[in-house]
């Protein structure tokens, strides 16, 4: 288990009024009391607290919202000393900074741009990166930079290197794949572990490749859905954040299924991002612990 993580760079002299602490450690008696005692000693008031114990792994997960005036580095140091081998994430309750990656489909990007415009989610879109120009006009209507990085006639690694170079201009917290239809290499994923979120239809692995909704129609499926997950080297098999389904009948055409599927995808992605951006998600191996 790693020492501790500070997703947001915080100066030791910074005074905070409200922030969230996420702790993962070995389960043992008295943890809530010992953690609460340290928070109290630092003048912090607990606003909300959630805990979960994975009995099979003997792991303890705790998410705590606190308010007050404290030195965050001091709080983390005391918690680390008290808990030993643990993972601690501390974040201020502020908007997460996001770069969105796209290809040609507009439905997820359009939904995110509108939510960003009206602050329906706890995030700010810094830029959109696309391997086609198709979504530039849509993006720039919202006064957000669109970066075109074509993938033709170059290797996947060369294309990803160009993306990495473009990302260096932005201080972001997460990458969101809003129907970015390219397989990412292990090296790319490794550099952004736990920071890439993807959305895809829930037919996988049944209907792979082009026209999944046509395949589903021909098979006579009765439900369609979507899955949002963190990206790992196992294609579309990373820790799941959010899923949903809707029922369909024989009266629906393949075109109807595709339209309904896009609606599910954008809603599932938005719900997943809400959970992540509000610091309610823990990654535990290939699954997630979520405090809603």
């Amino acid at each position: 288990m790693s020492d501790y993580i500070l997703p947001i760079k915080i100066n030791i002299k910074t005074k905070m009024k409200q922030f969230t602490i996420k702790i993962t450690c070995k389960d043992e008696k008295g943890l809530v009391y010992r953690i609460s005692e340290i928070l109290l000693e630092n003048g912090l008031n607990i606003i909300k607290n959630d805990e979960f114990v994975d009995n099979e792994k003997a792991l303890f997960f705790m998410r705590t919202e606190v308010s007050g005036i404290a030195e965050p580095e001091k709080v983390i140091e005391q918690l680390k000393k008290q808990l030993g081998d643990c993972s601690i994430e501390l974040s201020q309750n502020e908007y997460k900074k996001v770069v969105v990656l796209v290809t040609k489909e507009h439905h997820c990007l359009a939904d995110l741009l509108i939510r960003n415009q009206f602050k329906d989610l706890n995030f700010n879109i810094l830029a959109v990166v696309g391997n086609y120009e198709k979504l530039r006009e849509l993006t720039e209507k919202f006064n957000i930079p669109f970066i075109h990085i074509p993938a033709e006639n170059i290797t996947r690694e060369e294309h990803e290197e160009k993306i990495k170079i473009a990302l260096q201009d932005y201080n972001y917290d997460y990458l969101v794949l809003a129907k970015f239809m390219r397989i990412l290499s292990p090296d790319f994923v490794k550099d952004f572990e736990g920071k890439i979120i993807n959305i895809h239809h829930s037919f996988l692995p049944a209907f792979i490749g082009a026209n999944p909704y046509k395949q589903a129609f021909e098979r006579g499926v009765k439900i369609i859905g979507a899955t949002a997950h963190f990206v790992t080297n196992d294609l579309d098999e990373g820790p799941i954040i959010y899923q949903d389904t809707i029922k369909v009948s024989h009266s629906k055409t393949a075109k109807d299924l595709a339209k309904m599927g896009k609606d599910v995808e954008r809603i599932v992605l938005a719900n997943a991002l809400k959970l992540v951006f509000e610091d309610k998600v823990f990654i535990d191996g290939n699954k997630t612990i979520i405090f809603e």
Side-chain angles (χ1 to χ4, degrees):
M1 199 174 295
S2 60
D3 287 347
Y4 61 81
I5 304 170
L6 280 173
I8 299 175
K9 293 182 180 179
I10 303 173
N11 189 295
I12 193 169
K13 296 180 180 179
T14 300
K15 303 298 182 182
M16 296 185 296
K17 291 185 178 180
Q18 191 167 331
F19 55 96
T20 300
I21 302 172
K22 292 164 59 180
I23 298 172
T24 304
C25 63
K26 287 290 185 181
D27 184 43
E28 55 186 79
K29 293 181 179 179
L31 283 174
V32 176
Y33 171 80
R34 287 151 56 191
I35 293 168
S36 301
E37 187 175 42
I38 290 174
L39 299 180
L40 178 62
E41 289 174 355
N42 284 273
L44 296 172
N45 179 49
I46 296 177
I47 301 172
K48 190 176 188 301
N49 191 66
D50 294 285
E51 310 116 35
F52 172 75
V53 176
D54 184 334
N55 289 313
E56 290 186 2
K57 297 180 180 179
L59 283 178
F60 174 79
F61 301 86
M62 180 170 172
R63 177 189 183 274
T64 308
E65 296 179 18
V66 297
S67 64
I69 298 175
E71 295 179 356
E73 294 284 1
K74 179 182 177 183
V75 174
I76 288 177
E77 185 66 28
Q78 291 180 357
L79 288 170
K80 179 66 180 175
K81 184 177 180 180
Q82 177 66 250
L83 302 176
D85 184 23
C86 63
S87 172
I88 301 176
E89 298 182 29
L90 183 152
S91 60
Q92 290 177 291
N93 295 347
E94 58 185 23
Y95 289 140
K96 298 296 188 289
K97 298 180 288 295
V98 171
V99 174
V100 182
L101 276 63
V102 297
T103 296
K104 291 183 178 180
E105 295 185 69
H106 71 273
H107 58 287
C108 286
L109 174 63
D111 186 67
L112 295 181
L113 290 171
I114 292 172
R115 292 177 187 275
N116 181 77
Q117 178 74 19
F118 294 99
K119 300 307 172 191
D120 290 341
L121 286 177
N122 189 36
F123 77 143
N124 282 323
I125 298 178
L126 304 180
V128 175
V129 177
N131 55 310
Y132 290 92
E133 286 273 17
K134 183 175 181 179
L135 300 178
R136 176 185 291 278
E137 183 179 357
L138 170 63
T139 301
E140 292 180 346
K141 283 181 178 179
F142 291 85
N143 297 316
I144 292 174
F146 183 89
I147 304 168
H148 178 217
I149 304 178
E152 290 83 1
N153 302 318
I154 58 176
T155 66
R156 179 175 62 171
E157 289 73 22
E158 289 171 333
H159 184 244
E160 291 178 349
E161 186 60 31
K162 289 177 181 291
I163 293 176
K164 288 181 183 180
I165 292 172
L167 292 175
Q168 291 175 1
D169 292 334
Y170 299 95
N171 179 26
Y172 57 89
D173 301 304
Y174 291 96
L175 300 178
V176 176
L177 309 186
K179 304 302 291 183
F180 183 65
M181 308 305 288
R182 290 184 61 80
I183 298 174
L184 297 173
S185 70
D187 285 341
F188 187 93
V189 172
K190 181 178 65 175
D191 289 344
F192 305 98
E193 186 176 358
K195 298 299 180 184
I196 310 176
I197 299 168
N198 188 32
I199 180 72
H200 64 75
H201 61 78
S202 287
F203 295 138
L204 296 174
F207 306 129
I208 300 173
N211 298 319
Y213 290 101
K214 184 175 185 296
Q215 296 179 56
F217 169 76
E218 292 172 347
R219 185 68 180 273
V221 300
K222 297 299 182 282
I223 59 170
I224 58 176
T227 295
H229 63 97
F230 289 103
V231 175
T232 65
N233 289 330
D234 294 322
L235 179 62
D236 294 324
E237 296 182 14
I240 294 170
I241 307 167
Y242 197 90
Q243 294 177 298
D244 201 1
T245 60
I246 55 175
K247 293 182 179 180
V248 297
S249 71
H250 64 274
S251 65
K252 303 300 181 183
T253 66
K255 188 175 181 180
D256 291 333
L257 296 188
K259 183 177 180 181
M260 295 168 72
K262 289 179 179 179
D263 288 339
V264 178
E265 287 175 355
R266 62 182 178 81
I267 295 300
V268 166
L269 179 59
N271 286 335
L273 296 180
K274 184 177 188 296
L275 292 169
V276 173
F277 296 162
E278 292 179 358
D279 299 303
K280 293 182 177 180
V281 180
F282 292 71
I283 298 178
D284 177 25
N286 201 44
K287 67 178 183 177
T288 56
I289 307 299
I290 298 176
F291 295 116
E292 298 189 49

